[in-house]
Amino acid sequence: MEFNTKAAAPEAIKADCLAVGIFEDKGMSAAARRIDRVSGGAVRAAMASGDMAGKRASIVVLRGLKGVASTRVALVGLGKAADFGEKAFGEAVTAAVRGCGAGTGALAFAIGDWKVVGRAADGNARALVAAARATAFRSDELKSKAAQAASQEPRRRRITVVTDKPERGIADGLRQGVAIANGVDLAKRLGNLPGNVCTPEYLADQARALAREWGLKAQVMDRRQIAALGMGSFLSVTNGSVQPPRLIVLRYEGAGRGFADPVALVGKGITFDSGGISLKPGAAMDEMKYDMCGAASVLGTLRTVAELKLRVNVVGVIPACENLPSGSATKPGDIVTSMSGQTIEVLNTDAEGRLILCDALTYVQRFKPAAIVDIATLTGACVVALGNVHSGLFSKDDALADDLLAAARSSGDSAWRMPVDDDYQDQLKSNFADMANIGLPGNAGSVTAACFLARFVKDQRWAHLDIAGTAWRGGATKGATGRPVPLLAEFLRRRAA
Ligand code: BES
Ligand code: MN
Ligand code: ZN
């Protein structure tokens, strides 16, 4: 899919299909009115017939209109003007891309008055690309050739945003949107791959490939090197698995200055989480292949940042391993020593994400990061608290939290701030080690997980994103979402600006 922008009257643009909006209450958008005028009332007729009432995400395609250069005109319902927000905008773009007709190669959008409150032209352009690209995403690389062919897009689309006068923000927004979509697609692809393909070494290979293609620096450490760093907590999670663990470090130097003040992104890379000896129930256990979506979002974000050549230094750190039961697996009650020197009583081997992240958080401090953000499918409790809508944001640093929330809002990749105060730390007391790896059952589980991590980032600017509910969808449209790549990309874009 390609994107560009052109200043022209909507009726003059020569595309296979031109999309114009119709509001449910206010009727025709400005572009629709123009098309109606030059065509001698074709839009009005479609509305009068009852075919187009402006209902959200509805679509009617008209053909061969008089005075209109495009072959087709798609009337796209935008819903009530007062309710027209980022969600309705995305639905309208999706409806147009899906419904414009299989023969459409060039699709033009006249979205001059598809205004979303609080969003400028570049934001609209980014959102348009995000919605359009999402319609084309497929995870079919493991299907047979015949099945792949059947699910391909009928035609490769070229999408043009038509404006009355040239607008710099739109071209910039489209370019940014494409880079973000590329990062999102990478994160989705990796998230959807099964545990027998997407192993720790596979993630390492992805990091090496990104480094080659985008001029990043990748370093991959094996079990011996991880042990030499003293990461006893991380390694305890791998004990039951025959897949060797990897510690992946990926550096992007966009600001130079000897890699000063990087933003550190730390992603949970559990390529399959069975729970270990504290085995999970069988239902939907396949979904635990997504337990590396934090890692995938780090890789996706680095790809986006490199493609956009942002003037910012970023270091990504990914502890990657499997969590499986076996005769050599870590047992409930085992006590392990983290890289920080703090000891941990592993009361539940299913609370493994924090055990790999704590060592990665200790490790990343050697880069003297300006800020550390970890991203993890960390707790089922976060899904209970926030569902699939918001990622959980935990930070003691108000300025960092505000920056992340602002990026979340403007990228449409939302997050909601949760507490991490020390009042919850009591739950992690252990009689035999410096701390336990779980709190009280059914008691603020996503908060105590964050509090566990907080013990490893004292005096750091740190935030934690729990994406257990947002990184994938279940049900019929099951699959990875690519979140929170848009949030992280926007956060870094703002820091670089
Ligand atoms: N990967 C899971 C968290 C998870 C659960 C993500 C559901 C997505 C959907 C994590 O490793 C885990 O198992 N957490 C436990 C922690 C508990 C044992 C304290 C959980 O949430 O049940
Ligand atoms: Mn687990
Ligand atoms: Zn897990």
Side-chain angles (χ1 to χ4, degrees):
M1 226 176 239
E2 281 152 35
F3 297 86
N4 61 22
T5 177
K6 209 164 181 175
E11 69 274 16
I13 205 92
K14 211 167 150 28
D16 297 316
C17 184
L18 168 74
V20 299
I22 308 287
F23 287 103
E24 192 174 344
D25 47 357
K26 284 193 177 163
M28 292 181 226
S29 63
R33 238 175 286 125
R34 271 192 87 121
I35 296 297
D36 188 59
R37 184 145 31 83
V38 300
S39 66
V43 180
R44 197 174 310 257
M47 292 173 74
S49 72
D51 283 357
M52 172 46 66
K55 289 251 185 311
R56 230 164 116 154
S58 61
I59 180 165
V60 165
V61 179
L62 311 175
R63 305 180 54 95
L65 297 197
K66 181 162 64 74
V68 178
S70 290
T71 316
R72 307 169 185 78
V73 171
L75 308 180
V76 183
L78 304 179
K80 298 211 170 68
D83 300 339
F84 189 74
E86 58 180 55
K87 203 142 187 261
F89 180 95
E91 285 173 15
V93 171
T94 304
V97 175
R98 289 229 169 98
C100 61
T104 297
L107 171 61
F109 278 91
I111 56 172
D113 54 4
W114 297 23
K115 292 250 158 51
V116 175
V117 180
R119 199 157 81 182
D122 63 328
N124 256 6
R126 283 192 295 271
L128 181 135
V129 176
R133 282 280 300 265
T135 66
F137 180 82
R138 300 278 181 286
S139 259
D140 59 5
E141 65 192 281
L142 299 178
K143 293 190 179 179
S144 59
K145 285 278 168 313
Q148 278 177 23
S151 73
Q152 282 309 305
E153 283 291 282
R155 279 188 69 172
R156 208 185 142 75
R157 295 243 154 86
R158 273 161 289 118
I159 293 182
T160 302
V161 176
V162 189
T163 56
D164 298 337
K165 47 184 188 332
E167 275 190 68
R168 177 75 199 285
I170 292 188
D172 284 347
L174 292 175
R175 190 176 51 82
Q176 291 156 1
V178 169
I180 294 166
N182 288 340
V184 165
D185 282 3
L186 173 61
K188 285 186 183 176
R189 182 179 157 261
L190 293 174
N192 288 341
L193 284 175
N196 64 330
V197 174
C198 186
T199 59
E201 175 59 11
Y202 188 94
L203 287 176
D205 261 340
Q206 294 296 307
R208 293 186 192 104
L210 280 182
R212 262 197 314 277
E213 193 174 349
W214 295 99
L216 314 181
K217 290 193 182 120
Q219 185 190 1
V220 177
M221 284 172 265
D222 63 13
R223 189 190 303 272
R224 196 180 45 78
Q225 293 165 299
I226 298 167
L229 286 167
M231 296 188 167
S233 182
F234 174 14
L235 284 181
S236 77
V237 177
T238 75
N239 284 346
S241 165
V242 296
Q243 287 292 343
R246 294 288 182 256
L247 180 67
I248 303 163
V249 182
L250 197 53
R251 282 195 276 171
Y252 167 76
E253 294 199 31
R257 303 193 313 268
F259 205 62
D261 311 317
V263 173
L265 303 178
V266 178
K268 174 178 174 182
I270 295 287
T271 57
F272 189 76
D273 180 13
S274 70
I277 297 296
S278 311
L279 194 66
K280 286 181 179 296
M285 204 206 266
D286 65 291
E287 297 197 344
M288 284 299 128
K289 70 176 180 179
Y290 296 116
D291 214 17
M292 32 54 68
C293 282
S297 76
V298 172
L299 296 174
T301 301
L302 278 160
R303 190 201 189 285
T304 298
V305 163
E307 187 172 342
L308 289 176
K309 299 191 176 68
L310 294 184
R311 290 176 173 282
V312 60
N313 293 332
V314 185
V315 56
V317 175
I318 296 170
C321 69
E322 287 184 333
N323 184 23
L324 291 181
S326 88
S328 58
T330 295
K331 303 168 291 297
D334 285 1
I335 293 177
V336 301
T337 304
S338 68
M339 183 180 175
S340 72
Q342 300 176 91
T343 62
I344 304 161
E345 185 182 14
V346 181
L347 289 176
N348 189 320
T349 64
D350 197 11
E352 85 297 339
R354 62 198 80 181
L355 295 176
I356 69 170
L357 287 171
C358 69
D359 281 341
L361 288 170
T362 301
Y363 174 81
V364 78
Q365 292 172 37
R366 67 179 51 195
F367 295 103
K368 306 242 173 317
I372 305 172
V373 181
D374 78 71
I375 309 102
T377 48
L378 202 62
T379 64
C382 194
V383 190
V384 173
L386 299 173
N388 311 110
V389 178
H390 304 294
S391 298
L393 168 64
F394 303 77
S395 181
K396 294 184 176 184
D397 188 313
D398 289 336
L400 178 58
D402 286 345
D403 285 353
L404 286 162
L405 287 173
R409 255 191 309 277
S410 94
S411 63
D413 184 0
S414 61
W416 198 268
R417 190 152 178 202
M418 300 278 284
V420 246
D421 18 317
D422 291 337
D423 297 358
Y424 293 91
Q425 288 287 0
D426 283 350
Q427 287 196 39
L428 297 173
K429 279 195 176 137
S430 160
N431 284 356
F432 309 111
D434 295 343
M435 71 194 85
N437 77 327
I438 55 168
L440 303 170
N443 199 305
S446 68
V447 183
T448 51
C451 285
F452 179 96
L453 298 178
R455 293 177 179 231
F456 298 85
V457 282
K458 299 224 169 79
D459 310 317
Q460 299 288 317
R461 294 192 61 194
W462 162 77
H464 156 61
L465 286 166
D466 193 331
I467 57 167
T470 52
W472 77 83
R473 278 188 289 271
T477 54
K478 177 158 146 176
T481 61
R483 294 176 67 181
V485 170
L487 187 170
L488 295 169
E490 178 66 10
F491 170 70
L492 291 166
R493 200 176 66 80
R494 286 164 173 234
R495 278 185 87 95

